[in-house]
Amino acid sequence: MMGRAGICKDGVIAEIEKKITEAFEVFDRDGNENVDVREIGSIVRSLGCFPTEAELHELLAKVEEEEPTGYVHLEKFLPVMTKILLDRSYRPIPEDVLLHAFEALDEKKSGYITKEELVKHMTEEGEPFTEEEMEEMLSSALDPETNAVHYRDYISMMIVDETDDLPQ
Amino acid sequence: MGSGSSVNANYKYSLQKSENAFKAAVLIQRWYRRYVARLEMRRRCTWRIFQSIEYACEQDQIKLHNFFSYLMDNFTPSSSKERDFISRMFISGESFKEAELEKYCDYESLEVPDSYTGPRLSFPLLPDHATALLEAFKQKQQLHARYVLNLLHETRKHLKQLPNISHVSTCYSEEVTVCGDLHGQLDDLFLIFYKNGLPSPSKSYVFNGDFVDRGKQSLEILIILFTFLLIYPKEVHLNRGNHEDHMVNLRYGFTKEVMQKYKLHGKKILKMIQNVFCWLPLATMIDQKVLVIHGGVSDTTDLDMLEKIQRNKFISVLRGKKRKESNRNVEVKEINGESQAEPDSAGNETMSSLPSQPRPAQAPSMTNRVEFSRWVRQTVQEQIEWCRKLVDISDSEEEELTCSSLVSLTDLDGPCWTRQEEWKQILDILWSDPMPQEGCRENTVRGGGCYFGPDVTGNILEKYNLQFLIRSHECKQEGYEFCHNRKVLTIFSASNYYEIGSNRGAYVKLGPDLVPHFVQYQANKTAHTLTMTQRISRVEESAFRALREKLFAHTSALISAFKLYDKDNTGKITLSNWATAVESVLRLGLPWRMLRPQLVRSTADGMLEYKSWLDDLAMEQRSQEHIQSSLLEVIYRNRSNLETIFRIIDRDHSGLISFEEFHQTWKLFSSHMNIELTDDGINDLVRSIDFNKDGNIDFNEFLEAFRLVKQSQ
């Protein structure tokens, strides 16, 4: 059935599969439908998902070869990822939830977190956060004049870049 | 002292607090990692866009070749005028006899006025001259034409003594520095010298080709490199790249740059440069263990042959070798039919009749691009050689050749090679790219050379007892990249090649242990102070601008493609169909669904109103009034090709072509492109373009008419 609302379920699945394949191919260096296993996280996340590292490892277990080659094949990845998108697993984090998270770390409720506090929380708590990730986060989050992260500003700066472009 | 329950409460409270903090941290990390992944995706998509557009441009070069060969095959000149016209397209690269060259490119008669404040060169050059030049170029000064020509003469004299393959040894000057493509980006060369030091008896350099084109200071780079070459001949080594070729320069900006900087003597300078480029060595060998070539290798690469061929015969590698014609007074009846050649009075060995026009088997249909390309490349050389035989071409300085291009050349003490084979050796060295898959196949994207696999690399290394290859030719994000299990190193020295922030440049240093050490850089201060997000956004913006321009240029074809999905004529299509349709028209192999948010801003219920989307694109291009006819779109889309063709026709580089010439060009071009246009139609077009009504078309007028000239020129 044609028309504005008339996309049938098959159409949705086909479109999702195309989207996943495209994202996969961007990271497929050799054009042979394989990507380095370390890129799977980026692919999954760029498709609009927010898994934790632990959830990502679970996913990897499903898509890796029986004898890990260091590569993941599109053939295995596609059905797993399609299900994830259809089920809307690893749901996105709404802005207000994110704000509450930052506020939870801001004991004094001052509207900002100092550099030291942020580093402490990111590296000592939560999941393992590499030094490189920390540095990169600081480079865009830190206000050089106050040496602190004004998280409201930080959030609005980052959220602007988000566009949810999954088929509804 | 508190009650037990309040201690418990405190404990519970702080436990909950740290639990919350933990959860909060995890949440933030999750969100942050997603953000970084999106950035990475954007960065890669941007890179893909630039590369696909760049390679699509290089494919245009194939089209140009197709055009010329199509010309030869199907266009019957109806008058001697037209015949001359075609032949001129091929003669523009004629090489002169030594004496003629000296005379034509004479510099001694050029007076340098007292008012000239730039560097004055005297020969033999000294290190002071080099530093003076560097300083002058930093101050944006220009070297007087006299010194440019003088330098080029001396460079040519020097290069003539060099073998095809230079040899460098790390035992003399502890370290060798290898630099890749510079493409006219003088700031990068300055940065390299700043970080690594100038060439000197204790500092060897190898510059691996592609010094010119694209960037705006190609000539300055050449001057500096040639100067150092002459001052330190043992330590400075230059390899020829595929851009050290006047046919390529016509298209990619070097020719234009020289003519703009040297309005009076530019032509001479270009002529000299042509005769310098062909004398550049083809490869450099470090310690007999590392081979440095610009492009790559193929499964037929033969270093022994490469060492022995006369490299200077290949003025332009694209057009195949330039042959001397011994028949000066050939009577030509028709270009397309068989012709009889009469031996000239000098009694040189000639064939009593020229071979009839070599006709290959039936050309494959043009719809199969890959096949057609291959067919073209095989036949275009034969066609061109044959054509050149028939029209009067002046002598070159090389020895006489009387046979057709496919007959072998007898070497005194070596094997027989055909011209064709020699040409292929050079083409492969200069134009090939590595690929991950095994094997060796034609590089149809670039139109020359091969794609070579790790097995080809392995064979070459084994055959000549080498450790690895160093090549350039491809832009790499980090300035360098290994492939083929670290047996092939790509080194690329032009930073910010596509756009500010797009990539780093790099150079590699090798000591006696031949272990590579890399130094990376980026020649723009702004790039450093930007955050990763900002850098990516900037490059991304530029890529999407280029992409939108390409979309606009295909408006008509896109509308047709969209209509296929809109049978009910609602004016709307789904976003999914949009992606499929766009790829079918543009054929860039891009991830359109990932790119869509940047290209399509507004949708109604997941459907796109395509006409208004295209109108928005057009408004951006600021030439809305010209989008109606598909003819103009074709011109817009092919403007690079047209520009190149115009430049070839405009032999004196005056920037002017006559109505007649324009008419001819357009007729040839449109018959190739299958555009119907009557003579009247062409005349109207021509007259409407001649803004100052002086009977000549300044082709800048032409380009401007379609808003093709970049304002920055």
Side-chain angles (χ1 to χ4, degrees):
Chain A
M1 182 179 92
M2 294 295 287
R4 293 187 296 170
I7 306 174
C8 59
K9 189 121 205 289
D10 285 339
V12 170
I13 293 183
E15 185 56 16
I16 287 180
E17 286 185 342
K18 281 192 199 139
K19 192 92 194 278
I20 295 171
T21 307
E22 263 192 7
F24 192 89
E25 281 174 353
V26 173
F27 286 85
D28 175 5
R29 300 197 57 207
D30 303 338
N32 56 2
E33 305 201 334
N34 269 334
V35 302
D36 190 320
V37 68
R38 292 165 288 185
E39 313 270 34
I40 290 292
S42 300
I43 299 176
V44 172
R45 288 177 169 123
S46 64
L47 284 165
C49 301
F50 292 70
T52 63
E53 289 291 295
E55 286 166 334
L56 205 53
H57 281 133
E58 268 174 44
L59 197 167
L60 277 171
K62 291 188 201 148
V63 299
E64 265 184 323
E65 303 293 321
E66 255 127 48
E67 292 182 23
T69 56
Y71 285 95
V72 173
H73 205 276
L74 177 61
E75 217 171 42
K76 276 204 157 182
F77 183 72
L78 192 58
V80 173
M81 194 65 219
T82 305
K83 185 164 195 306
I84 290 174
L85 288 181
L86 282 174
D87 293 346
R88 295 175 176 265
S89 317
Y90 316 134
R91 314 192 104 250
I93 300 171
E95 197 176 325
D96 52 348
V97 172
L98 188 58
L99 189 57
H100 284 148
F102 273 104
E103 283 173 344
L105 300 180
D106 176 15
E107 298 197 21
K108 302 194 202 80
K109 305 289 172 244
S110 45
Y112 64 87
I113 308 180
T114 66
K115 175 178 167 187
E116 290 73 27
E117 283 176 332
L118 185 64
V119 173
K120 179 169 172 291
H121 286 300
M122 289 293 110
T123 55
E124 292 178 18
E125 299 180 56
E127 295 185 304
F129 206 64
T130 68
E131 209 179 295
E132 223 184 301
E133 283 177 304
M134 196 65 247
E135 251 180 66
E136 194 45 58
M137 183 188 243
L138 284 173
S139 75
S140 48
L142 209 60
D143 179 349
E145 287 178 21
T146 60
N147 223 29
V149 177
H150 300 266
Y151 47 83
R152 276 180 190 271
D153 293 337
Y154 183 46
I155 292 174
S156 30
M157 182 177 78
M158 307 285 250
I159 294 282
V160 162
D161 285 319
E162 297 279 325
T163 36
D164 188 28
D165 36 19
L166 288 171
Q168 296 307 311
Chain B
M1 174 176 79
S3 72
S5 63
S6 103
V7 167
N8 270 343
N10 277 340
Y11 179 70
K12 268 198 195 139
Y13 174 68
S14 62
L15 193 64
Q16 188 168 52
K17 214 175 99 177
S18 67
E19 211 181 276
N20 281 345
F22 186 91
K23 278 194 188 152
V26 173
L27 199 96
I28 294 174
Q29 286 169 342
R30 268 173 65 198
W31 166 82
Y32 178 73
R33 284 181 168 131
R34 138 81 176 172
Y35 176 77
V36 168
R38 281 218 72 215
L39 264 188
E40 179 62 18
M41 176 60 86
R42 280 166 62 189
R43 189 183 67 76
R44 285 179 185 242
C45 284
T46 302
W47 192 254
R48 282 288 205 90
I49 293 175
F50 275 130
Q51 274 196 321
S52 69
I53 291 183
E54 178 184 20
Y55 293 154
C57 274
E58 292 191 346
Q59 232 182 14
D60 278 355
Q61 201 80 13
I62 303 179
K63 284 207 203 124
L64 210 57
H65 267 264
N66 292 359
F67 172 48
F68 284 143
S69 79
Y70 182 85
L71 210 69
M72 297 322 304
D73 219 35
N74 294 307
F75 185 78
T76 309
S78 56
S79 66
S80 61
K81 236 181 168 185
E82 282 183 335
R83 207 163 37 234
D84 290 342
F85 185 75
I86 298 177
S87 70
R88 275 169 47 183
M89 284 202 183
F90 297 97
I91 303 178
S92 55
E94 72 214 87
S95 69
F96 286 43
K97 266 198 168 116
E98 193 72 38
E100 280 175 18
L101 189 67
E102 298 270 332
K103 190 165 155 236
Y104 177 69
C105 298
D106 159 64
Y107 54 88
E108 284 178 13
S109 58
L110 264 57
E111 295 250 348
V112 182
D114 291 332
S115 54
Y116 171 71
T117 54
R120 291 167 188 259
L121 304 180
S122 61
F123 293 80
L125 291 172
L126 299 167
D128 278 350
H129 291 123
T131 29
L133 277 171
L134 288 170
E135 197 45 48
F137 290 153
K138 282 198 180 116
Q139 308 296 332
K140 312 270 187 241
Q141 285 182 319
Q142 195 166 292
L143 186 65
H144 193 278
R146 181 207 170 99
Y147 299 124
V148 178
L149 287 167
N150 200 354
L151 175 65
L152 292 171
H153 273 273
E154 295 298 317
T155 305
R156 185 161 173 274
K157 264 198 261 172
H158 170 76
L159 289 175
K160 279 173 101 166
Q161 302 164 353
L162 299 181
N164 293 347
I165 302 182
S166 310
H167 287 267
V168 180
S169 173
T170 54
C171 67
Y172 291 127
S173 63
E174 295 139 29
E175 252 181 354
V176 176
T177 304
V178 182
C179 299
D181 295 25
L182 286 167
H183 281 302
Q185 299 190 183
L186 187 58
D187 285 341
D188 283 313
L189 186 58
F190 283 154
L191 200 52
I192 294 172
F193 285 158
Y194 177 72
K195 290 170 96 77
N196 199 44
L198 298 177
S200 71
S202 57
K203 201 163 285 275
S204 287
Y205 272 92
V206 178
F207 290 94
N208 199 13
D210 278 14
F211 318 124
V212 301
D213 278 334
R214 294 206 165 103
K216 302 273 188 299
Q217 290 166 296
S218 302
L219 192 53
E220 283 79 5
I221 288 191
L222 277 190
I223 292 172
I224 291 175
L225 292 181
F226 291 161
T227 300
F228 278 116
L229 176 73
L230 294 177
I231 299 176
Y232 302 111
K234 291 209 188 63
E235 287 80 21
V236 176
H237 304 269
L238 307 179
N239 283 348
R240 189 175 185 183
N242 63 310
H243 278 260
E244 274 69 56
D245 184 328
H246 71 278
M247 284 299 281
V248 180
N249 300 149
L250 275 168
R251 193 198 156 87
Y252 288 103
F254 181 47
T255 310
K256 204 194 248 185
E257 180 191 321
V258 173
M259 291 313 299
Q260 278 175 348
K261 287 179 176 167
Y262 291 90
K263 295 188 164 49
L264 197 51
H265 301 291
K267 215 175 140 208
K268 280 188 193 175
I269 293 177
L270 286 171
K271 182 56 72 185
M272 265 317 293
I273 288 177
Q274 246 178 59
N275 284 277
V276 169
F277 280 167
C278 64
W279 277 108
L280 286 170
L282 301 169
T284 300
M285 188 76 87
I286 302 178
D287 285 354
Q288 306 281 47
K289 287 277 164 218
V290 179
L291 181 64
V292 187
I293 60 264
H294 176 74
V297 294
S298 77
D299 53 0
T300 54
T301 294
D302 180 347
L303 293 186
D304 301 313
M305 196 195 298
L306 272 172
E307 269 178 338
K308 297 207 176 89
I309 59 186
Q310 289 172 288
R311 66 182 191 269
N312 60 299
K313 289 193 202 284
F314 298 84
I315 303 259
S316 166
V317 178
L318 265 196
R319 277 165 48 211
K321 72 157 298 322
K322 181 85 188 67
R323 297 183 40 213
K324 176 198 153 100
E325 296 306 316
S326 57
N327 305 335
R328 302 210 81 210
N329 306 307
V330 171
E331 197 94 351
V332 183
K333 304 244 163 42
E334 294 169 40
I335 282 190
N336 263 0
E338 290 95 40
S339 305
Q340 294 285 341
E342 287 158 11
D344 66 3
S345 51
N348 289 319
E349 271 176 47
T350 63
M351 293 164 69
S352 55
S353 71
L354 289 169
S356 56
Q357 182 184 14
R359 268 186 190 285
Q362 179 69 30
S365 118
M366 278 208 205
T367 51
N368 183 342
R369 281 177 173 200
V370 171
E371 272 224 60
F372 186 69
S373 242
R374 201 177 299 144
W375 174 79
V376 160
R377 279 184 55 230
Q378 277 163 10
T379 58
V380 72
Q381 279 317 301
E382 290 149 60
Q383 303 284 10
I384 290 175
E385 297 295 339
W386 182 86
C387 169
R388 198 171 289 134
K389 275 182 91 64
L390 293 173
V391 289
D392 192 22
I393 296 181
S394 55
D395 286 347
S396 73
E397 60 180 310
E398 324 312 328
E399 89 252 346
E400 308 222 334
L401 281 178
T402 58
C403 314
S404 80
S405 60
L406 296 178
V407 173
S408 43
L409 171 77
T410 321
D411 205 19
L412 282 175
D413 51 15
C416 277
W417 301 308
T418 64
R419 289 285 146 182
Q420 212 65 1
E421 284 172 322
E422 290 185 348
W423 173 68
K424 184 178 193 294
Q425 288 290 325
I426 298 188
L427 193 66
D428 287 342
I429 292 282
L430 261 39
W431 282 80
S432 299
D433 291 311
M435 66 175 176
Q437 299 86 14
E438 304 227 318
C440 189
R441 54 186 173 85
E442 276 172 24
N443 193 329
T444 45
V445 170
R446 294 201 193 252
C450 300
Y451 286 119
F452 62 99
D455 51 334
V456 177
T457 300
N459 289 339
I460 295 276
L461 295 181
E462 198 190 309
K463 184 171 176 194
Y464 298 106
N465 202 9
L466 305 170
Q467 275 182 26
F468 60 97
L469 304 176
I470 299 182
R471 44 91 62 174
S472 303
H473 200 39
E474 281 182 300
C475 182
K476 296 294 176 192
Q477 195 117 19
E478 294 298 318
Y480 72 95
E481 194 176 272
F482 280 106
C483 67
H484 292 185
N485 205 15
R486 291 184 81 91
K487 297 288 182 207
V488 174
L489 167 65
T490 301
I491 189 83
F492 195 84
S493 300
S495 68
N496 305 321
Y497 181 58
Y498 292 124
E499 173 58 75
I500 295 176
S502 68
N503 65 290
R504 290 175 153 142
Y507 56 86
V508 58
K509 297 160 78 82
L510 297 172
D513 57 0
L514 296 179
V515 170
H517 295 278
F518 298 97
V519 178
Q520 297 166 297
Y521 52 84
Q522 209 152 8
N524 190 295
K525 294 204 188 85
T526 357
H528 292 302
T529 60
L530 299 172
T531 64
M532 182 168 74
T533 313
Q534 287 171 317
R535 246 180 287 142
I536 292 179
S537 299
R538 229 175 133 145
V539 188
E540 200 183 32
E541 229 179 87
S542 172
F544 277 101
R545 213 178 309 135
L547 196 52
R548 283 195 288 266
E549 201 185 283
K550 263 224 171 319
L551 286 167
F552 162 70
H554 288 82
T555 301
S556 301
L558 283 171
I559 290 185
S560 312
F562 292 150
K563 286 214 165 101
L564 292 176
Y565 293 98
D566 179 26
K567 293 268 158 61
D568 298 338
N569 230 346
T570 61
K572 301 187 189 149
I573 50 167
T574 66
L575 292 171
S576 175
N577 290 335
W578 170 86
T580 318
V582 170
E583 176 59 23
S584 72
V585 170
L586 255 59
R587 293 179 181 279
L588 290 173
L590 290 173
W592 294 103
R593 287 170 185 80
M594 307 252 62
L595 303 175
R596 190 199 47 80
Q598 308 274 59
L599 293 170
V600 176
R601 298 292 171 162
S602 55
T603 59
D605 297 316
M607 305 280 283
L608 167 68
E609 286 178 14
Y610 49 88
K611 282 234 173 71
S612 60
W613 173 66
L614 286 167
D615 285 342
D616 286 342
L617 277 182
M619 279 209 296
E620 265 184 74
Q621 304 298 323
R622 289 182 297 130
S623 52
Q624 206 179 3
E625 63 271 26
H626 295 295
I627 62 168
Q628 273 82 27
S629 91
S630 64
L631 166 65
L632 297 174
E633 262 175 47
V634 169
I635 296 178
Y636 190 85
R637 197 159 63 235
N638 288 281
R639 63 193 185 284
S640 301
N641 277 343
L642 277 177
E643 196 174 334
T644 308
I645 294 171
F646 281 170
R647 281 197 214 291
I648 295 175
I649 295 164
D650 174 27
R651 293 182 67 215
D652 58 4
H653 298 288
S654 60
L656 294 174
I657 55 179
S658 70
F659 276 14
E660 179 69 36
E661 288 167 331
F662 177 80
H663 197 120
Q664 296 286 16
T665 311
W666 188 254
K667 209 162 134 191
L668 298 172
F669 190 75
S670 60
S671 74
H672 172 68
M673 303 298 291
N674 288 322
I675 306 167
E676 293 297 317
L677 200 62
T678 62
D679 279 355
D680 279 342
I682 300 180
N683 286 334
D684 284 342
L685 190 65
V686 157
R687 254 169 268 287
S688 67
I689 288 167
D690 179 23
F691 294 138
N692 57 7
K693 306 285 172 248
D694 63 353
N696 273 315
I697 298 170
D698 172 346
F699 72 73
N700 283 319
E701 282 176 329
F702 179 79
L703 297 177
E704 176 56 28
F706 302 98
R707 299 253 182 216
L708 303 173
V709 173
K710 301 234 166 73
Q711 304 303 48
S712 57
Q713 288 317 69

